[in-house]
Amino acid sequence: MIALEVWIALLIVLVMLGSALAVLLLRSHIAAVVAASVVSLTVTMIFVLLRAPDVAMTEAAVGAGLSSLILALGLRRLGIWQLDGKRAGRNLLMRDHDDA
């Protein structure tokens, strides 16, 4: 029988993979930043399961906290944190046919 910690780790890994895929597929840049912070939070939970609280606290503070804040402020500074119209439907996996 598989231990409870293994099931929890598998669930965390599935959430992490789903969030990483969402970063690539989401159309909203802010939503992609939130998904990236979810990836960092799941990595934090993996470190907690591995009994490395110092690394988990660092990952939570830097990975989920500071990096997400810097990405969101960068989007705001560039003016693409809320897009309307034609450009709002693009993401990293879609080619822009207007530029070609």
Side-chain angles (χ1 to χ4, degrees), residues 2-17 42-43 45-50:
I2 299 177
L4 180 62
E5 286 184 354
V6 174
W7 287 109
I8 292 172
L10 287 174
L11 179 66
I12 291 171
V13 168
L14 287 176
V15 170
M16 185 188 324
L17 290 174
T42 55
V43 170
M45 288 189 266
I46 291 290
F47 285 134
V48 169
L49 284 177
L50 293 173

Side-chain angles (χ1 to χ4, degrees), residues 2-100:
I2 299 177
L4 180 62
E5 286 184 354
V6 174
W7 287 109
I8 292 172
L10 287 174
L11 179 66
I12 291 171
V13 168
L14 287 176
V15 170
M16 185 188 324
L17 290 174
S19 298
L21 188 63
V23 169
L24 295 175
L25 297 177
L26 286 171
R27 294 175 184 237
S28 169
H29 296 296
I30 288 293
V33 168
V34 171
S37 74
V38 170
V39 171
S40 288
L41 288 174
T42 55
V43 170
T44 300
M45 288 189 266
I46 291 290
F47 285 134
V48 169
L49 284 177
L50 293 173
R51 293 174 180 82
D54 52 342
V55 181
M57 287 179 11
T58 303
E59 176 64 28
V62 174
L66 190 60
S67 295
S68 299
L69 178 66
I70 290 172
L71 284 171
L73 290 175
L75 289 176
R76 184 173 181 200
R77 174 83 171 164
L78 291 172
I80 57 174
W81 63 288
Q82 57 180 7
L83 291 175
D84 294 326
K86 186 177 173 183
R87 291 182 59 200
R90 292 188 313 184
N91 63 25
L92 292 177
L93 299 178
M94 298 174 65
R95 287 196 60 160
D96 187 16
H97 297 291
D98 296 335
D99 295 340

